Amino acid sequence: MLSGQSGDRTGGPPGETLGTLHDLHSQLSGETTLSATDWETVLANAARLAVIVLGLLALLLAIDHAQMILAPIFLAVVIGLMFGPLSDRIEQFGIPSWISALGVVAAFLTLIAMTGTAFAVPLSDWMDKLPEIWAKLQSQLTSWQGVIASFGGMQEELRSALGQTTGMKVEVDDTSAVESVAYFAPALTAQIVLFLASMYFFIATRKQFREAVLAFCPTSALRASARRIFEDVEARVSRYLLSITAVNIILGLAVSLALWVLGVPSPMLWGLLAGVLNYVIYIGPAVMALLLTGVGLATSETTFGILAPPLVYLFLNLMEAQFLTPAVLGRTMTLNPFVVLLSIALWIWLWGPVGGFIAVPCLLILDTVLTNILPLNEVTQDENAPVGLPVPRPASGASSQAPSAPSGSA
């Protein structure tokens, strides 16, 4: 009797009532139970993620093994994007594209030749001074012999405690420098020729390549988006490289002047080297600081003379990074420093110095493509909306005003 009344009051049998109460208790207590369909969705997403990870690993392996071909081509494309606007301005005077591309490549080769000449003369003097520098460096490190000996004793004790009695084996490669040059010279020559050819043909035919890609787009909206990606990529990469080049020239002049005031030999050499290494952010300044520390050890006997060159350079580099570069590039081109560091580490691991140079431009290209194709950039914050709730704004091709309601009058 009581069971029937309970079933009548809840509108169902007692088992259903208990199930409803259990579901209510689970919701109130925050418990979640995954159904079979939910588990299938989770496994499907995990499988897709695993495929993506395996694809990325395969891509990295292919890029690593194809360094001989891809590295000069990627470098040529980045340099071509930098000089693309210059080629466009030359073509505005009615000059054919192949002539403008040839002029840009010739100007680039002239710039490289001038830079190499500026490096060659002072570097030859410092190469002659290497034995003297090494002798002074050994004398400066004499005071550290006690510390080094203590570390050696600790190493021997640790090795004996671990049961390792064998010493470290050193194998000396008897390959001469002439044989190494003879082995690597053909490959280096082929890479230089491939770089110059790729740079020339990219600058000369980049517009035709763009139109060929746009021809495969089936809709006008997709063609407009692809065209915008091409234009934004060239504009951002060209602006970045040209701006960084101007910043590096200013930094090099400042470093040369500061080292000249300190009395460091060959200040123009170190200023030029500081400007070149500054293209590889984070890594380049660290290498430059180590080089200037060695220069201080080789040219001075006092602590101030040893530490002054690297400290002055680090101060100038800090001023450049905090004030000059943001003022030239602007905050709109600012990238996440951690992502930039990861990109530089990845590309240097893959392709060495060439990878360090193209790391930031490749990151700019990826950021530009993702910004144009993902819908995340089409949200803005409304003043009347609650904090944290993005309100979508109209796309660039759509009208910025919502359609108004029809009025009563004709």
Side-chain angles (χ1 to χ4, degrees):
M1 186 67 180
L2 292 175
S3 301
Q5 291 177 356
S6 176
D8 293 338
R9 288 177 184 176
T10 56
E16 183 179 351
T17 303
L18 292 177
T20 304
L21 292 176
H22 178 71
D23 295 340
L24 179 61
H25 173 71
S26 300
Q27 294 177 3
L28 293 177
S29 60
E31 297 179 0
T32 57
T33 304
L34 293 178
S35 62
T37 305
D38 295 334
W39 278 112
E40 291 178 359
T41 303
V42 171
L43 292 178
N45 292 334
R48 294 190 186 97
L49 181 60
V51 171
I52 292 174
V53 172
L54 291 177
L56 290 177
L57 292 177
L59 178 62
L60 289 178
L61 185 62
I63 290 175
D64 186 23
H65 282 276
Q67 174 184 357
M68 185 70 66
I69 297 177
L70 293 183
I73 294 177
F74 273 53
L75 183 61
V77 171
V78 170
I79 300 296
L81 290 174
M82 176 181 176
F83 288 102
L86 177 60
S87 177
D88 292 338
R89 293 188 178 182
I90 295 176
E91 293 176 11
Q92 290 178 357
F93 296 96
I95 299 177
S97 59
W98 67 273
I99 296 181
S100 65
L102 188 62
V104 169
V105 173
F108 178 75
L109 289 177
T110 303
L111 180 62
I112 294 298
M114 293 173 59
T115 305
T117 303
F119 270 117
V121 177
L123 271 181
S124 61
D125 296 337
W126 280 93
M127 291 295 292
D128 296 336
K129 296 179 182 179
L130 278 181
E132 180 183 355
I133 294 174
W134 177 245
K136 289 184 178 180
L137 184 61
Q138 287 180 323
S139 64
Q140 291 289 340
L141 295 177
T142 304
S143 59
W144 291 84
Q145 288 181 354
V147 180
I148 296 174
S150 62
F151 276 109
M154 293 174 59
Q155 183 181 8
E156 292 297 332
E157 293 178 1
L158 181 62
R159 185 176 300 170
S160 61
L162 295 176
Q164 298 178 358
T165 58
T166 58
M168 181 177 61
K169 297 181 180 180
V170 179
E171 297 182 358
V172 179
D173 189 6
D174 57 352
T175 304
S176 64
V178 177
E179 293 178 355
S180 300
V181 171
Y183 178 77
F184 288 107
L188 181 61
T189 303
Q191 286 185 316
I192 292 175
V193 171
L194 180 59
F195 164 74
L196 294 176
S198 301
M199 180 179 174
Y200 167 75
F201 285 109
F202 175 77
I203 296 177
T205 64
R206 72 186 195 283
K207 293 182 180 179
Q208 291 84 342
F209 175 77
R210 179 190 309 173
E211 296 301 326
V213 172
L214 294 178
F216 286 98
C217 298
T219 62
S220 59
L222 186 58
R223 282 194 295 271
S225 179
R227 186 181 299 274
R228 186 169 61 250
I229 289 175
F230 276 108
E231 294 174 353
D232 291 349
V233 163
E234 184 169 340
R236 291 190 70 185
V237 173
S238 177
R239 180 187 172 193
Y240 169 78
L241 290 177
L242 291 176
S243 301
I244 287 298
T245 300
V247 169
N248 293 345
I249 291 175
I250 296 175
L251 177 64
L253 293 175
V255 170
S256 299
L257 180 60
L259 295 182
W260 176 75
V261 172
L262 292 175
V264 177
S266 306
M268 292 298 297
L269 169 65
W270 307 119
L272 183 61
L273 190 59
V276 172
L277 290 178
N278 203 50
Y279 280 103
V280 185
I281 59 177
Y282 303 144
I283 308 298
V287 173
M288 190 63 201
L290 290 176
L291 289 176
L292 289 179
T293 303
V295 171
L297 284 170
T299 58
S300 179
E301 302 291 339
T302 63
T303 304
F304 174 79
I306 294 173
L307 297 180
L311 290 180
V312 168
Y313 166 74
L314 290 176
F315 173 77
L316 292 175
N317 184 264
L318 179 63
M319 294 297 102
E320 171 265 320
Q322 296 297 324
F323 299 102
L324 182 58
T325 300
V328 173
L329 288 178
R331 299 296 179 181
T332 57
M333 296 189 67
T334 303
L335 298 172
N336 189 296
F338 181 66
V339 178
V340 172
L341 180 61
L342 291 180
S343 177
I344 292 174
L346 174 64
W347 283 105
I348 288 180
W349 172 62
L350 289 174
W351 290 350
V354 175
F357 178 80
I358 69 172
V360 177
C362 288
L363 191 60
L364 278 174
I365 295 173
L366 179 62
D367 179 71
T368 303
V369 173
L370 294 179
T371 302
N372 281 278
I373 66 176
L374 291 182
L376 298 178
N377 67 322
E378 298 297 335
V379 296
T380 184
Q381 190 74 27
D382 192 2
E383 296 179 356
N384 299 325
V387 177
L389 296 179
V391 178
R393 66 182 182 186
S396 57
S399 175
S400 60
Q401 296 180 355
S404 59
S407 60
S409 59

